[in-house]
Amino acid sequence: MKKIWIVLAVIAVVIFLGYSSVKNAYNSMVSMDEAVSAQWSQVENVYQRRADLIPNLVNTVKGYADFEKETLTQVIEARAKATSVNINPQNLDAQSLKNFQDAQSGLTSALSRLMVVVEKYPELKANQNFLDLQAQLEGTENRITVERQKFNEAAQAYNVNIRKFPRNIFAGMFGFEKKAYFEAEQGAEKAPEVKF
């Protein structure tokens, strides 16, 4: 009779340890998945800040009658495209992140063209409202870089966690999938050529 109780106690301990291990692994994966989602929200937040600054910048620039309308139209269209691409943090796969990055890159490119054209208008460059908006936009671009880096770090920690043994087994059982990373733009590996 005593042996039966010992066997039952051992079985109970093994079941408890197994349950504890699965519970801890699952809860850890959930916590890290939520951290990735929260960091993604921060990325979207700073991109939204940039999108919110653009109409003010466009309206300030528009005040100069001889300003190139085509450039402004391109910025407005790129902003509309960039704000239309939304990603559910639960579906952060490589393709959806690439679509988001492409739309944001289009907006970045349009803004760069706008700033190049602005160089032709010294009175616009001296406008305090324009200078303030330009400074806010530059600050926002820096925030975007920081938040993208933090997102990649959170995604990396999550990905490493779900790929380690035995968590990879639990991750597969519970449907936890690898998260995509922000990647450098194509051509970013080449230094720009400077000619004097």
Side-chain angles (χ1 to χ4, degrees):
M1 188 67 156
K2 208 175 192 182
K3 287 183 182 181
I4 292 175
W5 284 110
I6 292 173
V7 170
L8 289 176
V10 169
I11 291 172
V13 168
V14 169
I15 289 172
F16 177 76
L17 290 176
Y19 167 78
S20 248
S21 177
V22 171
K23 179 185 75 114
N24 289 339
Y26 180 82
N27 288 342
S28 173
M29 289 184 284
V30 166
S31 294
M32 295 184 101
D33 185 48
E34 286 300 315
V36 171
S37 294
Q39 192 54 52
W40 176 251
S41 294
Q42 280 302 106
V43 169
E44 287 183 319
N45 184 29
V46 291
Y47 275 115
Q48 184 60 50
R49 175 181 162 77
R50 177 173 76 167
D52 291 345
L53 286 171
I54 291 171
N56 294 332
L57 184 68
V58 167
N59 286 335
T60 300
V61 170
K62 219 188 265 187
Y64 291 81
D66 57 347
F67 197 81
E68 299 176 26
K69 302 285 185 218
E70 182 182 338
T71 305
L72 290 176
T73 303
Q74 289 172 349
V75 170
I76 292 166
E77 288 171 356
R79 179 188 181 272
K81 183 178 179 187
T83 56
S84 71
V85 177
N86 294 314
I87 299 177
N88 177 346
Q90 301 308 315
N91 298 327
L92 279 170
D93 61 5
Q95 186 58 47
S96 60
L97 196 56
K98 182 184 180 323
N99 293 343
F100 182 84
Q101 258 188 286
D102 289 347
Q104 294 299 333
S105 294
L107 180 55
T108 300
S109 177
L111 283 171
S112 295
R113 285 191 302 274
L114 176 68
M115 293 305 166
V116 167
V117 172
V118 162
E119 292 296 318
K120 297 181 199 173
Y121 299 89
E123 64 280 357
L124 176 58
K125 289 184 350 187
N127 178 303
Q128 189 59 45
N129 193 24
F130 176 78
L131 293 173
D132 291 344
L133 288 168
Q134 187 178 20
Q136 287 181 39
L137 198 57
E138 287 170 3
T140 300
E141 293 296 333
N142 290 335
R143 288 179 187 168
I144 287 170
T145 301
V146 168
E147 295 303 334
R148 284 174 52 154
Q149 179 182 358
K150 287 179 182 178
F151 170 81
N152 279 351
E153 290 168 357
Q156 179 188 21
Y158 167 82
N159 289 341
V160 166
N161 188 358
I162 67 167
R163 292 182 62 209
K164 285 184 177 178
F165 182 81
R167 290 184 185 213
N168 61 344
I169 296 167
F170 302 135
M173 286 175 24
F174 295 119
F176 289 95
E177 295 180 3
K178 187 176 176 190
K179 303 290 185 187
Y181 298 106
F182 273 104
E183 296 178 4
E185 302 291 323
Q186 276 191 336
E189 69 278 358
K190 296 178 188 169
E193 189 177 327
V194 178
K195 293 183 180 178
F196 293 103

